[in-house]
Amino acid sequence: MDIEIRAALPAEYAELGEITGQAYTGDGLLDLNEDDHYLNVLRDVAGRAGHGEVIVAARDGEVLGGVTFAAPGSPLADIAGPGEAEFRMLAVAAEARGAGAGEALVRACVDRARALDGVTALVLSTQPAMAGAQRIYARLGFVRTPERDWAPIPALTLLTYRLEL
C-alpha cells in the first residue's frame, strides 16, 4: 500500500515524538543522548502542533515518520526570513527508512509552501551527519546556503538549504 501523507492526529503525537527522538538518538545526533535537553523538544509534538503544522507519513495506519512545517511568522521558524517558510524535525523510523517516507514528507512541505501567498522559498537547517536527508534535499532541488549556517549551541553548526518556489 502507498504512503499516506496527512496532518498528525493528536492520538499520534506521543508515537511521533518517540520516532523523532529515536531518530536523533539512534543516529548519534544528540550529544547527551537520553539526557539531552533537545530530546524533550523533539518529543513535544503537541507543543509544535500549536505553532505549526505537524505532518505524518503513514502506511496501513502505522506512523512511519513526520515533519513540522512552519509558515511565515511561526515561532517555530529558526532561519526563515520574509517570504520564506521552513520545515524542521524531519524524522523517519529506522525500520521505515529507504521506503520514500522522508522524501514524501519533504514534498508535502514544498507543496504547502507553494500554496501560501507571498512565499517564494522554503528553507531548512540540518546537521552535517544527516547525509540521507541531504541527498533528498539535493534531489528535490534545494541548494546549500552556507552563508546562513548557524550554531544553536557552540559545538554544533547547522547547515542550511533553500528551495526557490
Side-chain angles (χ1 to χ4, degrees), residues 24 27-29 124-135 137 144 149-152 155-161:
Y24 279 68
D27 290 347
L29 301 172
L124 67 102
S125 301
T126 186
Q127 290 188 28
M130 295 176 168
Q134 291 166 28
R135 284 191 295 275
Y137 307 146
R144 273 279 291 122
D149 291 355
W150 64 290
L156 176 63
T157 298
L158 297 178
L159 310 178
T160 60
Y161 285 77

Side-chain angles (χ1 to χ4, degrees), residues 1-163:
M1 180 168 255
D2 291 332
I3 294 172
E4 176 188 14
I5 302 297
R6 58 172 170 72
L9 303 172
E12 297 168 328
Y13 291 172
E15 180 181 8
L16 180 57
E18 285 307 308
I19 288 170
T20 307
Q22 287 174 9
Y24 279 68
T25 57
D27 290 347
L29 301 172
L30 298 178
D31 288 340
L32 301 175
N33 286 318
E34 288 295 323
D35 294 326
D36 198 297
H37 163 74
Y38 195 56
L39 183 57
N40 293 327
V41 175
L42 293 169
R43 288 179 172 157
D44 185 15
V45 176
R48 289 197 300 280
H51 299 287
E53 183 180 2
V54 179
I55 305 162
V56 295
R59 181 182 294 137
D60 297 328
E62 177 186 354
V63 174
L64 306 175
V67 67
T68 300
F69 178 79
S74 168
L76 294 173
D78 282 327
I79 64 165
E84 294 178 333
E86 184 170 344
F87 70 87
R88 300 187 51 207
M89 302 178 200
L90 173 67
V92 175
E95 63 275 9
R97 291 183 182 175
E103 183 168 330
L105 288 163
V106 174
R107 287 182 184 278
C109 290
V110 171
D111 291 344
R112 281 159 174 75
R114 283 190 172 130
L116 294 173
D117 287 337
V119 173
T120 58
L122 179 61
V123 297
L124 67 102
S125 301
T126 186
Q127 290 188 28
M130 295 176 168
Q134 291 166 28
R135 284 191 295 275
I136 293 171
Y137 307 146
R139 188 168 50 249
L140 296 180
F142 285 81
V143 176
R144 273 279 291 122
T145 52
E147 69 280 4
R148 293 175 79 168
D149 291 355
W150 64 290
I153 57 173
L156 176 63
T157 298
L158 297 178
L159 310 178
T160 60
Y161 285 77
R162 185 172 198 267
L163 177 68

